[in-house]
Amino acid sequence: MATRRTKAKGSTAECGSVLSSMLYLLLGGMLAISVHFTLDKVIQAQVKVAHEVNISHQQRMLVQRTSLFATAYLFSGDRAAKQTSLQALGKLQANHQQLLNEHYNAIDNKQKSPLSNALQALYLTSDNNVNSQLNLFSEQIYHALDLQEQHDDESLDANVLMDLVYTPLLRSLTNVARQYETQDYQRIATLRLAQVVIFWFIVFILFIGLIVILLHAKKQRQEATISHVLDIDSEQLSPMLNRFAFELSASKLIATARRHNESMSVLAFDIDRFPRILANHGQEAATSVLTRVATTILSVCRESDYLGRIEDEKFILLLPKTSTEQAVCLANKIRLYFQEDQGDIPSNTISISVSIGVSELNDDDNLLQQIIARAEQALGRRKNEGCARVCIA
């Protein structure tokens, strides 16, 4: 099992998880706000459309009401019928003004009219000019009522009565009402499309959230498995194989190297002056030094290499498919890395350096301990020469 490179601290993963959760919550909140305002606009638009359709149908009823009660007054002279006719006419004119009010305001402000081109054509063009027809109809009603008032003893021409009842305005208002209904259906279709889009967008967000949760759960299970197999904390800064797992992996590597006639080398690390660091600075500083050493080795070595800790301050790095010359190059690279970068350690008085023993798999080696023993013997022979040494067995 290969170890992973890592330079991040243990809190990095936790911070990343918290950040992802906050980002997902923020996205969910923005989605909820967007849905709220969208639904609010949908409701307002639907209310307005329903109101316009209702008024357009009222106009036809009011024209008929005005005509019928005016005719009744002209026929019978009933003043209550006249009053009812005038009230219906007043309501008809007020509704007409309400339907066109936004259009006239937009025109005055040199803005685009909220009325569709079809409605503007029905209201204002010569073919079906509802605006002019309504004004003409109002004048006919007022004239007929005033004429009857002035000539109470005379009967009106039947054609006047027929013109009032079968006014062309009825047909024009019917066209307007139908156009409002058509636009209402179109808007409803648009709103339904928006509803479908929002629904599937929410489904998509929930699906993404589910994927994120499943991936996070999978990662936690993997970390728990690694923690159990390697006997380490899943939030440990530098994941390493414990002695059992390390020796098991080494046995497999040795067997593979034998089978494929490949080279394999071992680097044995010894932290210089580690007992003095422990005695002078305490257990916490010593633990920080150990962590720093393991993290540094993992950051420099290859992903195919195996790092294990066999004693408190002793680390072993297995190098598959690596000759002695290649292992020495890597050992010097790690040694120089410690000299150039002391890292974040508890005290500025602590200087970290490592001595490294190099040993390659021989034909008569059957156990990992044989390779390690030669690397440690090389370290022991060169110990008196000083610190930060690379010793070849």
Side-chain angles (χ1 to χ4, degrees), residues 71-254:
T71 302
Y73 170 69
L74 295 176
F75 183 77
S76 63
D78 184 3
R79 293 189 175 275
K82 177 183 178 181
Q83 187 65 27
T84 301
S85 177
L86 291 175
Q87 290 176 351
L89 181 61
K91 180 63 175 176
L92 177 68
Q93 293 171 334
N95 285 348
H96 182 71
Q97 184 64 31
Q98 182 178 350
L99 290 172
L100 293 180
N101 189 47
E102 291 185 357
H103 167 76
Y104 289 129
N105 288 338
I107 296 301
D108 292 340
N109 295 325
K110 298 181 179 180
Q111 298 175 351
K112 184 179 179 180
S113 173
L115 291 180
S116 65
N117 293 333
L119 281 175
Q120 290 186 58
L122 290 173
Y123 273 119
L124 305 172
T125 60
S126 57
D127 294 338
N128 196 82
N129 197 324
V130 174
N131 194 49
S132 298
Q133 289 186 34
L134 180 59
N135 292 333
L136 179 60
F137 175 74
S138 299
E139 292 176 359
Q140 288 177 337
I141 292 294
Y142 287 129
H143 176 72
L145 295 179
D146 289 342
L147 186 63
Q148 175 66 12
E149 191 74 28
Q150 295 172 6
H151 305 279
D152 190 43
D153 54 343
E154 299 179 8
S155 60
L156 293 175
D157 189 348
N159 290 330
V160 176
L161 301 180
M162 295 301 295
D163 287 341
L164 292 178
V165 175
Y166 297 104
T167 173
L169 182 59
L170 275 176
R171 184 179 65 254
S172 298
L173 289 177
T174 299
N175 294 334
V176 169
R178 288 175 179 173
Q179 182 59 36
Y180 273 116
E181 288 177 349
T182 300
Q183 293 185 179
D184 186 24
Y185 295 144
Q186 293 173 349
R187 290 176 181 175
I188 289 176
T190 303
L191 295 177
R192 285 177 176 172
L193 177 61
Q195 182 184 34
V196 171
V197 171
I198 291 174
F199 171 77
W200 285 111
F201 182 69
I202 292 175
V203 171
F204 174 74
I205 293 298
L206 292 177
F207 177 75
I208 294 298
L210 179 62
I211 295 297
V212 171
I213 291 173
L214 292 177
L215 291 177
H216 182 66
K218 180 180 179 181
K219 181 179 179 181
Q220 286 184 328
R221 287 196 300 270
Q222 291 176 342
E223 291 177 348
T225 302
I226 292 173
S227 174
H228 177 71
V229 172
L230 304 186
D231 193 24
I232 58 173
D233 185 353
S234 61
E235 296 182 355
Q236 184 175 322
L237 297 181
S238 47
M240 297 177 296
L241 300 175
N242 62 15
R243 184 153 191 161
F244 173 77
F246 184 73
E247 291 179 352
L248 180 62
S249 299
S251 299
K252 293 181 179 179
L253 285 178
I254 293 173

Side-chain angles (χ1 to χ4, degrees), residues 268-270 355-357 375-383 391:
F269 295 87
D270 187 18
S355 294
I356 308 170
E376 290 181 336
Q377 287 172 5
L379 274 175
R381 289 195 300 267
R382 303 290 296 272
K383 198 67 175 177
C391 311

